[in-house]
Amino acid sequence: DAFMDRPPTPLFIPMKIGVDVETQIENGDLFDFDFEVEPILEVLVGKTLEQGLMEVMEEEELAAMRAHQEHFEQIRNAELVATQRMEAAERRKAEERERRIAQEKQRIAREKATREKVAAQTFARGYTSGLLGSVFDRLYDSGFFYDPVQREIETDFIPWFEDQVVAECSEAAASRKCVDEIIKKAFMDAAAAQAAGAESLRRELDEEKERVASAAAAAA
């Protein structure tokens, strides 16, 4: 099959030639392990100790830096709190100062207004002292000062009384007109009845005269 994988090439092993020989080596012939390994161990132990010491020193330095940072944070927080407290105190002092200034301005304005009012009242009192009597007399004559009972009688009771009288008179006039109409109609009805009775009586008399005349003519 053209698509199958090619098998791996086998390892080349040369053909064995010659005669095998061997050499006997006793312990300590080539090297002494304890002697040869000692400097290597010293280097490894030294590097390990040095690395460990450096790591310990770095940890101590990091711990010292963290402690220093924490101490610095504590100092900074304390200073920040103190600063905020001082700022709040200064702000309260400024607000108190502004409030006192506003109160003083209001007091000065009130005193100024009071002085102006007193001056105006004094001037008005002095100016109107001579005019007060004549003004009151003119106002009384003009009707500005009046007796409330008299004014109430004039403005409330008398118009109401007049309206009531007019209403009563109107009702009486209407009643009188109705009575006149009834009497007039009664008179007219009586006159008509009287005229009808007279006409009936006249017809009866005429009939009676004719009957008497007829009876007389028949007797003759």
Side-chain angles (χ1 to χ4, degrees):
D1 193 353
F3 296 99
M4 291 184 64
D5 294 336
R6 181 176 177 274
T9 303
L11 183 64
F12 174 72
I13 301 175
M15 184 178 296
K16 184 177 180 181
I17 60 175
V19 179
D20 293 337
V21 294
E22 63 181 9
T23 301
Q24 183 178 357
I25 300 174
E26 299 293 339
N27 293 330
D29 290 344
L30 294 179
F31 66 95
D32 188 358
F33 177 80
D34 295 336
F35 177 77
E36 296 293 338
V37 82
E38 185 176 354
I40 298 175
L41 290 177
E42 289 179 355
V43 172
L44 291 176
V45 172
K47 291 293 184 181
T48 303
L49 292 176
E50 183 179 0
Q51 184 68 27
L53 183 60
M54 290 180 62
E55 291 179 357
V56 171
M57 292 176 64
E58 288 178 358
E59 292 178 356
E60 291 179 353
E61 185 177 0
L62 290 175
M65 291 177 63
R66 283 194 294 269
H68 181 71
Q69 185 176 2
E70 291 177 357
H71 181 66
F72 174 76
E73 292 290 338
Q74 292 176 358
I75 294 174
R76 188 180 66 177
N77 293 332
E79 291 178 353
L80 181 60
V81 171
T83 303
Q84 292 177 352
R85 189 181 299 110
M86 293 174 64
E87 290 178 354
E90 290 295 330
R91 186 166 54 254
R92 288 195 298 271
K93 289 181 181 178
E95 292 175 354
E96 182 67 20
R97 182 168 57 253
E98 294 294 332
R99 188 174 62 83
R100 294 293 179 84
I101 292 173
Q103 289 179 354
E104 185 64 20
K105 289 181 179 179
Q106 292 176 0
R107 185 185 64 81
I108 294 173
R110 286 197 300 269
E111 290 181 355
K112 182 179 179 181
T114 304
R115 287 195 299 269
E116 291 177 354
K117 288 182 181 179
V118 171
Q121 290 177 359
T122 304
F123 176 76
R125 191 179 296 109
Y127 181 75
T128 59
S129 59
L131 301 176
L132 189 60
S134 61
V135 170
F136 278 144
D137 293 337
R138 290 182 181 178
L139 292 175
Y140 186 79
D141 295 337
S142 300
F144 286 96
F145 298 104
Y146 53 85
D147 187 1
V149 178
Q150 182 180 357
R151 177 60 62 87
E152 184 175 1
I153 292 173
E154 292 176 353
T155 58
D156 296 335
F157 178 73
I158 291 178
W160 174 80
F161 183 73
E162 291 177 353
D163 294 337
Q164 293 295 324
V165 171
V166 170
E168 291 292 336
C169 291
S170 299
E171 292 178 0
S175 301
R176 190 179 299 108
K177 185 177 180 180
C178 291
V179 171
D180 291 340
E181 292 292 336
I182 292 171
I183 293 173
K184 184 178 179 180
K185 188 175 183 299
F187 279 136
M188 292 177 65
D189 293 340
Q194 187 177 1
E199 183 66 24
S200 177
L201 181 59
R202 188 178 60 80
R203 284 197 301 269
E204 289 179 0
L205 289 174
D206 291 339
E207 291 176 357
E208 185 65 27
K209 286 179 181 180
E210 290 177 358
R211 190 170 51 254
V212 171
S214 297

